Structure formats: C-alpha cells, structure tokens
Amino acid sequence: MFFVTPGYGPKHLAALHYSQAVRIGDRVEISGQGGWDDDTVFPADLEEEIIRAFDNVERTLATAGATWADVVSVDSFHIPTADDTIGDDHTRVMVEQFRKRMGDRAPIWTQLGVAALGAPGMRVEIRATAVVGQA
C-alpha cells in the first residue's frame, strides 16, 4: 500500500506523480524527504533544513504506521559545503538528530555528496527503511 504525507504530499503527488511511502508487510520504504515546509519552501539555515528533513521523515513514516524506533537504514544525500567532503556542518546535525530521535539505536547509514537535488535551494534529502515492530 502506498502513502502520501499529509501537507505537502498531495501537492507532490499531483505535480510529480510519486508517493512518499510504501508498506509491504512490516517493511516501510520512504522516498527521500527534504527540509521543506508544506509549500515546499526551504529555510535559509542549513541546520534548520536538516532538522526539518528529519521531521518530514518522521511524518512520512507515521503515515505508514512506523516511527524512528523502527528505522533500520538511512541514506542521506547532501550538497557538500567543502571541496573534499560533505562538511561537518551537515554531518554534525545528522548525528545529533540520530541520537535525539533514535537514542542508543544506531541505523546503518550511507551519506552521499551530490551535485544537485530535486528542487532549487535543496541541500539535503533523507531516505529511510523501517521494519515495524523490530525495535
């Protein structure tokens, strides 16, 4: 079953023809979530954008009956802030949010630097896989 996140989801579905989550049994896969608001506007501050992306992951997981406690895998995509690395300003906030939302549990995580993301002004996108009830 496919799910659309309340707020921005119906707009993304109509304009871009995609759903934010799919649940098959106890497994939930979500599409990449950015740090946008319900009007797909991004904050000027990178830290706020990353935190909002985590909030949007949480909202999207909830639509499919999952939480951060169910997350087993995360892929994050970043517009680098340094020439030879993604940059500590990205990584620091990502790690802080993992600790805040997942406590002692640590998901597997792949962090990728990319040249561009799906929307102008977008600097981070987070995709997750959850297995409900496996926490």
Side-chain angles (χ1 to χ4, degrees), residues 94-114:
M94 291 291 297
V95 171
E96 286 172 358
Q97 290 301 303
F98 282 141
R99 291 177 198 262
K100 175 183 176 185
R101 294 167 193 263
M102 300 185 77
D104 290 338
R105 290 187 61 251
I108 61 171
W109 176 31
T110 300
Q111 185 182 38
L112 301 166
V114 298

Side-chain angles (χ1 to χ4, degrees), residues 39-60:
D39 295 317
T40 317
V41 174
F42 297 91
D45 180 68
L46 176 62
E47 183 169 344
E48 183 180 342
E49 182 177 343
I50 294 170
I51 292 168
R52 194 183 288 171
F54 270 83
D55 291 343
N56 287 338
V57 167
E58 188 169 309
R59 289 171 67 185
T60 301

Side-chain angles (χ1 to χ4, degrees), residues 5-30:
T5 307
Y8 58 83
K11 295 172 194 169
H12 291 195
L13 178 61
L16 302 170
H17 195 68
Y18 80 99
S19 300
Q20 279 78 42
V22 62
R23 182 171 178 160
I24 303 167
D26 61 358
R27 186 180 181 98
V28 175
E29 298 280 349
I30 70 164

